[in-house]
Amino acid sequence: MQRFIDRIREGLAQATGLERDELKIESPRDSKLGDLAFPCFPLARKLKQAPPKIAAELAEKVRIAGITTVATGPYLNFRIDRKELAETVLGEIQGAQENFGESKIGLGKTVVLDYSSPNIAKRFHVGHLRSTIIGAAVRRLHDALGYRTIGINHIGDWGSQFGKLVAAIDRWGDTVDLENDPLEALSTLYVRVNEEEKSDPELAEAGRAAFRELESGKQGHVRETWKHLTELSLQEFDRAYQRLGVTFDFVRGEAFYEPYLRSTIERIVEAGVAETSEGALVVSLEGFKEKMPPCLLEKSDGTTLYATRDLAAAFHRFEEFRFERCLYVVGSAQKLHFQQLKAVLKRMNLEWEPRLEHVDFGMLSLPGGKLSSRKGSVLLLDELLNRAVEEARKVIEDKNPDLTDADRIAEEVGIGAVIFNDLKRERIKDVVFEWSEVLSFEGETGPYVQYTHARLASILRKGAGREGSLDGSLLENAAPILLSLGRFPGVVRNAAENSEPSELAQFLLSLCREINSWLVPNKVLSEDPGLASSRLVLVRGAKICIRSGLRLLGVAAPEEM
Ligand code: ARG
């Protein structure tokens, strides 16, 4: 598609004398009007003429090979020759194969992504699922554009609760099964210590002392215990990451930035933006258009905060990676936190402050209510994934009882359904989890896209040996599919730019709908060898595109299901 856009820009530039890059080409609102459109409004002022008049004149004047121009109101619409459309788009896919959609626009630039980032010693619950899924997808989208991406799991491994846990392990460690079910054991201990410290000042003091020792950096029993419980928690999280196909370059929790806290505070003080208020060190954030309380750097007792550690992390990341973007994939509940973080950097006049972006998202909930670790209605991640796989297996067995390798496919469909369900809507919207909806083979679901892919794979298997030459003029009635395929690289680019995987998910849904409705009246394996061959090339191209799209979202594309 880019090739046609370039050609149109070239023709328009010649006719108008404008710079090519100034000429915005878009999709017409109604696809019946044309394949691409040029809105003439921006020219009105320059040429001192009404847009419809400009459009009419340009339609007369502009001549572009293989493209016809028609003026409709203030728009100049373009229709690409059908034969050339098919041969260009499918030729591009044949050349790129599974790399179709990739480009090099990010080459030499680095994007840091902070995603998943659960709090250790707690169960990984579905609340962190969205960050993991969205973050990993946004990362793959940037990878596809040639960026160097750095994935960081900023786990919550610091704070006074870890002192309490160490004290609790010291007292009751032998009453729980820390090694075999660490997260269960740790949450039991955490509940118990919070309960008993109320009436046991010695226990409370032991917890505080343990955290002081942790903060002092001293090596020894306390630090060893804390390290051990971090490792146990991470082993549990890794299981979920593996199932979801998610990886990180670094697991750097809040504790990692401990050694940099002093220099961070000094730096902020030296910039002249810190002040003391009631014994605490704060940065006042008045005067920003968003109303914000001051950012607390250090409490009166000398302890630092979540925000202090995020400031240290921001400096550390910029110094190490010189990022073009630093994306924080964190729920919208932390909007204020990231506003404050950016506001502090802005007050310090750091030119790279705009490169920090809070990629926020809405809540994930089950029909029963919101999933919060505090409120008890927690659905554990493993349980959620297991149930999805189980349900997927039922659906698959029902549809295709003879499927070999049903275990693997049930896993791919079940997990794929959970991921797709999370990514299909604008991320800021809340997600309600309805089992029947998530796993349906029809409608806006992962299984629907996977199923369409498997259907194409099956057609290709049946047509093995008959796929060869392509005559684009035989694919006239597949124009909507071809136009969509041609748009794919642009969709990937925009989805990355906006950190919005839903743009890709929605693209895939609409591509699948177009394909499925085209397949109804068009028999691919026609008796006519030329027709069958060209249609098979189209099916191959569509299959490659769906597969690439699913891969970028983190969803498997089984050949059969
Ligand atoms: N651990 C935090 C939480 O669960 C999320 C951390 C997000 N990343 C960051 N750099 N603050 O709420």
Side-chain angles (χ1 to χ4, degrees):
M1 201 53 56
Q2 194 55 44
R3 238 180 269 186
F4 296 112
I5 293 176
D6 290 344
R7 215 189 281 169
I8 289 171
R9 284 216 177 104
E10 177 68 44
L12 282 174
Q14 270 175 18
T16 59
L18 292 170
E19 286 295 318
R20 252 165 282 184
D21 297 342
E22 286 177 64
L23 301 162
K24 199 167 157 274
I25 307 297
E26 47 184 52
S27 296
R29 243 160 297 165
D30 180 356
S31 61
K32 283 195 207 75
L33 295 173
D35 306 330
L36 291 164
F38 172 64
C40 296
F41 308 102
L43 286 184
R45 224 201 295 153
K46 264 200 181 112
L47 302 177
K48 299 201 170 56
Q49 269 180 353
K53 184 138 188 282
I54 300 174
E57 278 182 19
L58 284 177
E60 287 299 309
K61 205 166 156 195
V62 177
R63 289 284 164 270
I64 306 163
I67 295 174
T68 45
T69 32
V70 182
T72 315
Y75 291 92
L76 188 60
N77 291 310
F78 305 95
R79 189 173 189 280
I80 303 164
D81 174 70
R82 291 312 182 229
K83 179 174 161 65
E84 200 184 340
L85 173 69
E87 290 172 8
T88 306
V89 170
L90 295 174
E92 231 169 84
I93 301 179
Q94 278 174 335
Q97 290 295 324
E98 71 272 14
N99 301 327
F100 179 55
E102 295 183 4
S103 65
K104 304 248 173 290
I105 57 171
L107 227 56
K109 295 179 195 145
T110 300
V111 178
V112 171
L113 299 103
D114 178 319
Y115 54 97
S116 194
S117 308
N119 300 320
I120 61 158
K122 282 192 189 157
R123 287 246 180 235
F124 190 127
H125 62 86
V126 265
H128 286 114
L129 180 64
R130 295 212 72 196
S131 172
T132 309
I133 290 176
I134 297 170
V138 173
R139 174 181 192 169
R140 287 187 216 94
L141 287 165
H142 282 89
D143 286 333
L145 301 180
Y147 288 95
R148 172 173 76 135
T149 57
I150 309 284
I152 300 183
N153 193 353
H154 188 86
I155 54 172
D157 58 359
W158 205 244
S160 51
Q161 68 271 31
F162 294 100
K164 291 186 193 186
L165 275 171
V166 171
I169 290 172
D170 284 348
R171 260 210 205 179
W172 308 303
D174 50 3
T175 66
V176 290
D177 191 355
L178 211 48
E179 300 304 315
N180 289 314
D181 195 354
L183 297 185
E184 180 60 36
L186 289 168
S187 52
T188 306
L189 290 180
Y190 192 57
V191 170
R192 184 161 176 193
V193 71
N194 276 312
E195 195 46 47
E196 293 199 17
E197 70 170 10
K198 287 183 204 148
S199 56
D200 185 346
E202 222 170 89
L203 179 64
E205 179 44 36
R208 281 193 295 271
F211 187 56
R212 273 198 302 275
E213 185 172 331
L214 269 182
E215 282 198 303
S216 75
K218 187 177 155 203
Q219 298 299 320
H221 164 73
V222 171
R223 189 158 272 269
E224 285 305 313
T225 310
W226 167 79
K227 239 200 197 139
H228 187 54
L229 65 92
T230 308
E231 283 158 6
L232 290 173
S233 307
L234 277 170
Q235 278 166 22
E236 293 269 310
F237 300 152
D238 279 341
R239 277 218 314 268
Y241 295 143
Q242 248 171 34
R243 285 182 92 177
L244 293 167
V246 172
T247 56
F248 302 91
D249 297 286
F250 300 102
V251 176
R252 286 180 177 171
E254 294 181 42
F256 174 87
Y257 300 100
E258 262 295 286
Y260 307 99
L261 292 175
R262 277 297 117 214
S263 56
T264 299
I265 291 174
E266 270 162 32
R267 190 168 172 169
I268 298 170
V269 170
E270 266 160 36
V273 300
E275 57 197 83
T276 2
S277 160
E278 296 169 32
L281 193 64
V282 305
V283 179
S284 156
L285 301 174
E286 272 163 35
F288 283 90
K289 71 175 188 302
E290 306 94 352
K291 273 214 164 21
M292 284 179 271
C295 177
L296 194 51
L297 298 176
E298 194 176 44
K299 289 199 246 175
S300 52
D301 63 3
T303 50
T304 59
L305 295 101
Y306 178 55
T308 327
R309 295 187 281 278
D310 251 330
L311 283 161
F315 291 129
H316 190 272
R317 289 170 188 179
F318 187 69
E319 261 128 51
E320 185 171 358
F321 303 118
R322 301 280 146 182
F323 51 72
E324 198 70 18
R325 303 178 87 177
C326 179
L327 306 177
Y328 296 88
V329 186
V330 185
S332 35
Q334 293 194 28
K335 193 167 175 160
L336 175 64
H337 168 73
F338 288 104
Q339 262 172 10
Q340 289 180 302
L341 188 69
K342 282 170 67 67
V344 172
L345 301 177
K346 210 179 222 162
R347 280 208 59 195
M348 296 173 75
N349 291 323
L350 293 165
E351 45 85 22
W352 47 270
E353 172 276 328
R355 301 184 195 187
L356 268 57
E357 297 170 48
H358 179 199
V359 177
D360 53 352
F361 54 83
M363 204 114 67
L364 174 67
S365 57
L366 287 170
K370 93 176 191 192
L371 297 156
S372 134
S373 58
R374 259 164 275 143
K375 291 218 177 107
S377 75
V378 200
L379 183 72
L380 306 175
L381 184 63
D382 245 359
E383 282 169 28
L384 178 93
L385 297 180
N386 287 342
R387 166 113 192 254
V389 171
E390 229 171 83
E391 300 282 331
R393 185 193 307 275
K394 280 189 219 151
V395 185
I396 292 168
E397 267 166 15
D398 196 46
K399 295 220 177 229
N400 191 351
D402 313 319
L403 197 64
T404 46
D405 220 1
D407 281 344
R408 180 180 54 86
I409 292 169
E411 177 86 10
E412 291 181 348
V413 173
I415 306 271
V418 172
I419 296 178
F420 197 90
N421 180 62
D422 203 309
L423 297 178
K424 74 176 177 189
R425 284 178 216 86
E426 254 182 282
R427 60 180 150 73
I428 200 67
K429 301 213 168 112
D430 290 347
V431 178
V432 178
F433 207 97
E434 293 279 7
W435 286 105
S436 57
E437 191 195 309
V438 172
L439 283 153
S440 161
F441 275 43
E442 284 126 46
E444 307 211 312
T445 67
Y448 170 68
V449 179
Q450 289 175 317
Y451 176 71
T452 307
H453 174 267
R455 186 176 178 194
L456 300 182
S458 148
I459 295 173
L460 289 168
R461 279 194 300 275
K462 288 191 192 120
R466 301 188 63 194
E467 179 187 352
S469 62
L470 165 67
D471 176 354
S473 62
L474 298 176
L475 298 177
E476 172 109 19
N477 65 9
I481 301 175
L482 291 160
L483 288 165
S484 289
L485 294 176
R487 273 176 46 224
F488 180 65
V491 170
V492 172
R493 232 174 12 244
N494 288 339
E497 172 76 15
N498 303 326
S499 304
E500 191 61 87
S502 66
E503 293 177 11
L504 175 53
Q506 287 297 330
F507 165 86
L508 289 174
L509 287 169
S510 107
L511 175 64
C512 289
R513 281 192 292 265
E514 283 160 357
I515 292 167
N516 284 313
S517 58
W518 179 82
L519 283 171
V520 178
N522 294 292
K523 192 173 151 213
V524 175
L525 303 172
S526 152
E527 283 78 46
D528 176 345
L531 188 57
S533 174
S534 293
R535 286 184 175 169
L536 282 165
V537 174
L538 171 71
V539 167
R540 169 84 55 199
K543 177 180 179 286
I544 290 175
C545 182
I546 296 176
R547 192 183 183 82
S548 304
L550 285 176
R551 181 175 43 80
L552 292 175
L553 296 180
V555 177
E559 294 290 309
E560 248 185 301
M561 64 187 264

